[in-house]
């Protein structure tokens, strides 16, 4: 019998693994291909037009080769641009990952929310639209972090993490105004949940770190059930593989799909002092 078509989970690097894990957890019987466009990493630094063209080309080419049942763009920086062209080019469902501003607005008590993202995501009309539609009453601080995605890759793959750089990157998220403090930080880049435990340790006060990955997995399940590409009775142990556009070996990353936690073990201070 022919293998069922896989779901293609796409990111610029290894951050999308935070989404792929949740998909795996929810639907362990779903074959999955994780694709990292590490040749284009980091996406946060690209101009919008060039990134739209590049990403659309890469995903359309991968979809032609892999014949997936659906594509998940596990990248906020790309999703805030490429969902319309991809949906026009592909005849399968395309699920995006965009800043979780709506749930953050529902969750905040102080009315101060920060959106921690790449420098690209915080300049997108898509992000401004989400704020206008879902958080008009909330004071949103947009924080475009230049180094965090690279820091997450380095920490996960090589165990190096400089806490001083991490602290400096997240510092603008913590706002105090009229006796109120930021209480929700949206992790609007799929790399950032990899660093969330460390961020929580060095944060000036406790906040909710909002990771949209479980919601993306549920959205994918609904879409697959609706399209008939999944029945919900697939069982477990479906194959998963990973590829990188540079051809680099991603087997270590693939192992994280079923690892107990994504804790960045051994990521000790590469001392900045
Ligand atoms: N993981 C990506 C995101 O969710 C971006 C990382 C990068 O390539 O800069 O935005």
């Amino acid at each position: 019998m022919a293998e069922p078509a896989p779901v293609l989970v796409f990111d610029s690097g290894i951050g999308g693994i935070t989404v792929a894990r949740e998909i795996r957890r929810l639907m362990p019987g779903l074959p999955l291909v994780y694709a990292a466009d590490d040749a284009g990493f980091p996406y946060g630094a690209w101009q919008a037009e060039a990134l739209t063209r590049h990403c659309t080309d890469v995903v359309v080419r991968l979809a032609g080769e892999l014949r997936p049942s659906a594509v998940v763009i596990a990248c906020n920086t790309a999703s805030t641009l490429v969902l319309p062209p991809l949906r026009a080019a592909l005849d399968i469902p395309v699920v995006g990952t965009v800043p979780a501003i709506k749930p953050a607005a529902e969750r905040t008590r102080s009315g101060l929310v920060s959106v921690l993202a790449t420098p690209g995501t915080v300049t997108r009309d898509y992000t401004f639209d989400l704020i206008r539609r879902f958080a008009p009453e909330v004071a949103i601080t947009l924080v475009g972090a230049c180094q965090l995605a690279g820091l997450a890759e380095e920490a996960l793959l090589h165990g190096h993490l400089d806490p001083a750089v991490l602290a400096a990157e997240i510092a603008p998220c913590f706002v105090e105004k009229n006796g109120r403090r930021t209480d929700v930080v949206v992790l609007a880049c799929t790399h950032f949940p990899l660093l969330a435990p460390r961020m929580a340790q060095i944060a000036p006060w406790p906040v909710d770190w909002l990771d949209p990955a479980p919601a993306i997995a549920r959205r994918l399940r609904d879409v697959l059930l609706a399209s008939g590409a999944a029945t919900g009775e697939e069982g477990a142990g479906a194959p998963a593989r990973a590829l990188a556009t540079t051809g680099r070996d991603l087997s270590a990353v693939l192992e994280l799909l079923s690892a107990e936690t994504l804790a960045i073990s051994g990521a000790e201070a590469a001392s900045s002092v």
Side-chain angles (χ1 to χ4, degrees):
M1 221 168 71
E3 266 298 314
V7 164
L8 171 62
V9 181
F10 177 87
D11 182 30
S12 59
I14 60 174
I17 207 80
T18 57
V19 175
R21 274 169 65 86
E22 291 301 328
I23 294 172
R24 198 73 174 157
R25 221 173 265 170
L26 192 65
M27 292 171 283
L30 194 70
L32 201 139
V33 178
Y34 184 80
D37 179 21
D38 57 346
F41 181 85
Y43 279 179
W46 284 63
Q47 291 301 313
E49 212 176 296
L51 183 59
T52 308
R53 218 173 321 116
H54 169 80
C55 245
T56 308
D57 288 352
V58 176
V59 175
V60 168
R61 177 174 57 73
L62 288 171
E65 286 165 18
L66 300 163
R67 301 269 156 214
S69 58
V71 175
V72 178
I73 304 298
C75 174
N76 294 259
T77 315
S79 295
T80 49
L81 294 170
V82 300
L83 297 177
L86 276 182
R87 286 177 177 145
L90 299 173
D91 57 2
I92 49 173
V94 178
V95 174
T97 306
V98 296
I101 286 163
K102 184 168 184 255
E106 287 161 2
R107 194 176 293 188
T108 180
R109 284 158 183 253
S110 69
L112 301 184
V113 166
S114 292
V115 176
L116 184 60
T118 64
T121 300
V122 296
T123 63
R124 303 274 193 259
D125 287 345
Y126 197 112
T127 304
F128 302 147
D129 261 10
L130 289 175
I131 295 171
R132 262 194 300 273
R133 285 170 60 204
F134 299 116
E137 312 286 309
V138 178
I140 302 269
T141 302
L142 292 169
V143 179
C146 295
Q147 301 186 60
L148 271 189
L151 218 60
E153 296 248 336
E154 186 64 17
L156 195 67
L157 296 176
H158 307 296
H160 301 142
L161 181 62
D162 185 335
V165 178
L166 185 61
E169 290 278 281
I170 68 169
C173 291
F174 293 84
V175 176
E176 292 192 270
K177 208 152 94 193
N178 305 329
R180 292 176 298 135
R181 287 172 154 185
T182 304
D183 62 355
V184 179
V185 176
V186 178
L187 298 171
C189 167
T190 53
H191 280 70
F192 298 170
L194 297 169
L195 297 172
R198 291 305 177 104
M199 292 180 186
Q201 280 170 1
I202 60 172
W205 59 80
V207 293
D208 267 358
W209 302 92
L210 215 157
D211 174 7
I216 308 297
R218 288 194 298 274
R219 172 78 190 135
L220 174 67
R221 184 189 52 191
D222 292 349
V223 161
L224 292 176
L225 292 175
S227 72
T231 60
E233 287 163 16
E234 276 80 14
R241 65 191 184 94
L243 61 90
T245 51
T246 55
R248 164 170 82 123
D249 176 24
L250 286 184
S251 43
V253 174
L254 200 57
E255 277 169 30
L256 296 170
L257 269 186
S258 47
E260 206 44 45
T261 74
L262 275 182
I264 297 168
S265 55
E268 295 316 325
S271 175
S272 62
V273 258

